[in-house]
Amino acid sequence: MKNLLIKQSLVLLLITVGFIAKSQEVQLKYNFVKGKTYSITTEMVNNVTQSMGGQEMKMESDINSNSDMTIEDVDKDGNATALFNLLNVSVHSKMPAMGRDTTMNFNDLNEQKRVVLSPIGKQLSETILDPEKKMKMMGQMDNFTKFTELPNKLIKVGDKWSSKTTDSTKASGQNPFDSNVTTEMEYSFVGKEVKDGKELVKVNYSGSLTINGKGNQMGMELFMEGTGKTEGFAYLDPATFMIMYNEANTEMDMSIAITGQQNMTMPMTQSMKTITKVEEKK
């Protein structure tokens, strides 16, 4: 009798678990809604340790940004035309060895770009508005507006999917490198959780990065290469699957080689924590 009760309990448990998993099956893709506008705030803490000429230099920085995203149109295939407007950026950096502690505020930027996004979050095209205007920060903030890639298929709790992307960045006043970053990610569907009093859908992720780039500064050739890893999680709205909260931790090991008037190689490690919060404007 005891063994029978145990078997019945196990069967009931399996049925219950199966029912819960089945009830959380979702068609996981972005359901963009024309006319919706979202406010996006991003906070990044970045710690860099660099070796140069036998000396170790450390730099700490905090970057905070505010931007808006408006869904201007959605076509019959679910592709969305979205307008991103970078409003404000604040950069605080410290270099203790050199006694530097500075804060730069970039207000009323209104740097805009229009992108077309597929239902999985892949960027299909990008147009910089007002190309004659010198963009101070848009290029540096591009990676913070990337969408988590969704599988666009029916999935349940515990299911996984993967993606591989390569992002290119052109040299600018703040960055002397033309660079490529290849990211291979694996995602897992956690299911519904309560976050800040709201029931949202959670996705965990982890992955690896490969970086290479080259540039020129003060007549010297610069070469960069490195690898890294990232892990984090995102909370999505259960109706539109728009990301409402994203938190990522990234560790990178890189080296920068300089050739020209003098030749040297500078190893560098970088640790970043990025938190992005999204709120629909009513």
Side-chain angles (χ1 to χ4, degrees), residues 201-242:
V201 173
K202 187 178 183 181
V203 172
N204 288 338
Y205 58 84
S206 62
S208 61
L209 303 90
T210 303
I211 306 157
N212 62 76
K214 61 181 180 179
N216 187 288
Q217 192 172 53
M218 298 176 65
M220 296 182 290
E221 295 291 326
L222 309 176
F223 301 91
M224 174 178 64
E225 61 180 11
T227 58
K229 60 181 181 179
T230 186
E231 62 179 10
F233 56 89
Y235 284 97
L236 287 63
D237 178 86
T240 63
F241 295 114
M242 287 293 297

Side-chain angles (χ1 to χ4, degrees), residues 71-132:
I71 306 299
E72 296 181 314
D73 196 16
V74 181
D75 68 18
K76 60 181 178 62
D77 297 318
N79 299 316
T81 300
L83 177 67
F84 283 94
N85 186 13
L86 180 61
L87 303 172
N88 306 298
V89 178
S90 174
V91 182
H92 175 227
S93 61
K94 293 193 298 184
M95 296 183 68
M98 301 182 69
R100 292 184 181 177
D101 190 330
T102 60
T103 299
M104 295 183 293
N105 294 310
F106 302 87
N107 298 317
D108 302 319
L109 290 169
N110 291 317
E111 297 183 1
Q112 299 180 336
K113 67 177 180 179
R114 180 172 284 116
V115 302
V116 177
L117 299 164
S118 74
I120 68 171
K122 184 177 181 180
Q123 185 171 299
L124 304 178
S125 67
E126 174 183 293
T127 303
I128 300 296
L129 303 188
D130 194 3
E132 299 301 320

Side-chain angles (χ1 to χ4, degrees), residues 178-215:
D178 288 329
S179 61
N180 295 306
V181 179
T182 299
T183 307
E184 296 186 52
M185 301 293 294
E186 182 176 82
Y187 305 89
S188 62
F189 184 61
V190 178
K192 294 180 180 179
E193 285 190 6
V194 175
K195 168 72 174 172
D196 297 330
K198 298 178 181 178
E199 186 176 72
L200 302 173
V201 173
K202 187 178 183 181
V203 172
N204 288 338
Y205 58 84
S206 62
S208 61
L209 303 90
T210 303
I211 306 157
N212 62 76
K214 61 181 180 179

